[in-house]
Amino acid sequence: MKRLIGVLLIPAVVFFAGALATSPRATAAEETAKNWFPGHYIFLIDGTYTGLVPTGTLYQAAKSNPYVRGYFVQYDWVVLEPTKGNYDFSKVIADLNTAQRDGKKLWVMVMDRKFNANHPLPVPQYIVNECKAMYNTLNGVPMGWKSKPYNVCFQNYMIALYQQLASAIDDHPALAGVMTEETSVAGIEDLPDYTHQSYLDGMVRIFAGLASAFEKGVSIQLANYAFSGGNTSEQRRALAEEFIEKIAEKNNGGIGTPDVILAKTPMTLREPFGFMYDKYQNVAPIAPHHQWMSYDLGVDPETSLNYAVDVAHSNFVMWAHRTDTTGKYNVFDVLNEITRQKGRINTNVPQNIRDSSGQSLPAPGELRITN
């Protein structure tokens, strides 16, 4: 594993549970510069964002479905780094081992924010105390914990986390890749220290750290409604294009949206990110995350899957786990549709995966990502 340069390194104590599996990689992965396991992935978490729960009917249905490629799991940052510099990746490794045992692959997401006001702090306490990079109220109104990605202290520590995580799991045969949280952060544009450009640059710098750390796992950036307040449509589009270009072309990353597929108006076709699916098909990995609102809005699974493959040109789709929906459909209906269509997905290997060689990481404090 190559080591990153120019990033703040933190002395680490890393705890592991179980040895990494050593079975050979799939032939398809060996033909690319990175792992390549396209397919449909089911969102499985334990409710507290600490890992996968291999129990219950949804897990069993995903496990037994030959057209489901694997699982998608989110982990709060504080679970992976309970205290400053003390890393514990045992839950991620246990989930990778479970996926491998099941003949599946795993996508990992590190959570640095929460949109539920009742959720506990998702990051280690030192990020609040030392970096001053979190907020949970706006104009006196409580909200979930949100991060400030333009905060350089925050960037340094999150990049250090990705570096340590890659050292622990990048060689695991069940790892498909690592996905970021979405770009949109509620209320961030109203903070006095926020600017569109510093936010964009900070997000890109964090992603550059992620992409540089993982030589084998694919890196995906979810992009949605940032860079909007006070800007014209043309300005929003220009910022979005700059952002995605730096993710996909400068850092060999993949792209997706968290509000994936369809409300009554297709959410992914709204300003400013709708352009990216056509522009980057077969250029960069495309990996949307289908969330629960499509179920509640009554969008049928056939329409959703067809949209993901035929309109968004997806290589991966992360299907939301929600089953307590008030709508007509839920994730079990999606599983039935995946089966009916025999796991149909875009399997073409994108150019930046075939030719991926990694990028150098900017020095701490160097916000602008240069060409």
Side-chain angles (χ1 to χ4, degrees), residues 233-249:
S233 176
E234 291 76 15
Q235 289 170 326
R236 291 197 300 272
R237 174 64 177 260
L239 286 165
E241 289 184 341
E242 178 186 355
F243 180 73
I244 297 300
E245 178 185 1
K246 288 178 176 178
I247 296 299
E249 298 179 34

Side-chain angles (χ1 to χ4, degrees), residues 44-46 52-61 63 98 101:
L44 293 172
I45 59 171
D46 65 357
L52 182 156
V53 173
T55 59
T57 54
L58 180 54
Y59 167 77
Q60 293 297 332
K63 173 186 175 182
T98 296
R101 181 199 67 200

